[in-house]
């Protein structure tokens, strides 16, 4: 059974940090890219960052570039999103998702391309 389980969300003050984790199981981790998406109430889903574990390719959305860092632990089938200098506009439900051989450094992330999704974790940044 394919599973993607997010953790690490919570409430933080503006300027603070959070580290999200995504634990993957049930598929060949090395063949997939893991991406982080977020969706705030009343807004469209936004691709935040992704990483292709096989070669370390990463992508960051413009709104998080320089503040968020994605990494992976291939031995544990886990991906992390370190979020620093958080802003109230980062408030959203964050989802991790898996795409077969996906993630391209110069391409905006497309949710339709992702095969598997987690249940999401809430991140709330207070002003």
């Amino acid at each position: 059974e394919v599973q993607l389980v997010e953790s690490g969300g919570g409430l933080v003050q503006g300027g603070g940090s959070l580290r999200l984790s995504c634990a993957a199981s049930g598929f060949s981790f090395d063949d997939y890219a893991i991406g982080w998406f977020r969706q705030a109430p009343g807004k469209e889903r936004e691709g935040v960052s992704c990483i292709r574990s096989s070669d370390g390719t990463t992508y960051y959305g413009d709104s998080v570039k320089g503040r968020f860092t994605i990494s992976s632990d291939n031995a544990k089938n886990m991906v992390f999103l370190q979020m620093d200098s958080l802003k109230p506009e980062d408030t959203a439900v964050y989802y991790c998702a898996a795409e077969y051989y996906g993630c391209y450094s110069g391409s905006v992330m497309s949710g339709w391309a992702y095969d598997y999704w987690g249940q999401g974790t809430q991140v709330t940044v207070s002003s």
Side-chain angles (χ1 to χ4, degrees), residues 78-112:
M78 294 193 70
V79 171
F80 308 97
L81 186 68
Q82 177 67 40
M83 307 188 295
D84 299 319
S85 302
L86 283 161
K87 306 174 181 179
E89 50 264 44
D90 294 318
T91 295
V93 177
Y94 284 70
Y95 301 88
C96 69
E99 179 187 4
Y100 186 70
Y101 278 118
C103 192
Y104 302 91
S105 59
S107 298
V108 174
M109 295 165 63
S110 298
W112 60 265

Side-chain angles (χ1 to χ4, degrees), residues 10-123:
L11 173 64
V12 64
Q13 280 193 330
S17 298
L18 281 175
R19 188 191 193 212
L20 303 184
S21 299
C22 176
S25 62
F27 60 94
S28 180
F29 187 78
D30 291 344
D31 292 340
Y32 281 76
I34 301 295
W36 287 97
F37 291 82
R38 67 186 181 186
Q39 189 163 22
K43 295 190 176 180
E44 292 188 357
R45 182 174 59 195
E46 176 188 6
V48 175
S49 181
C50 63
I51 186 167
R52 187 191 306 148
S53 59
S54 60
D55 63 7
T57 297
T58 59
Y59 163 87
Y60 295 94
D62 288 342
S63 61
V64 306
K65 208 171 289 183
R67 300 188 297 122
F68 291 10
T69 304
I70 194 168
S71 61
S72 67
D73 184 337
N74 294 356
K76 296 183 179 179
N77 288 4
M78 294 193 70
V79 171
F80 308 97
L81 186 68
Q82 177 67 40
M83 307 188 295
D84 299 319
S85 302
L86 283 161
K87 306 174 181 179
E89 50 264 44
D90 294 318
T91 295
V93 177
Y94 284 70
Y95 301 88
C96 69
E99 179 187 4
Y100 186 70
Y101 278 118
C103 192
Y104 302 91
S105 59
S107 298
V108 174
M109 295 165 63
S110 298
W112 60 265
Y114 282 73
D115 304 294
Y116 309 118
W117 291 80
Q119 81 288 350
T121 186
Q122 176 70 46
V123 171

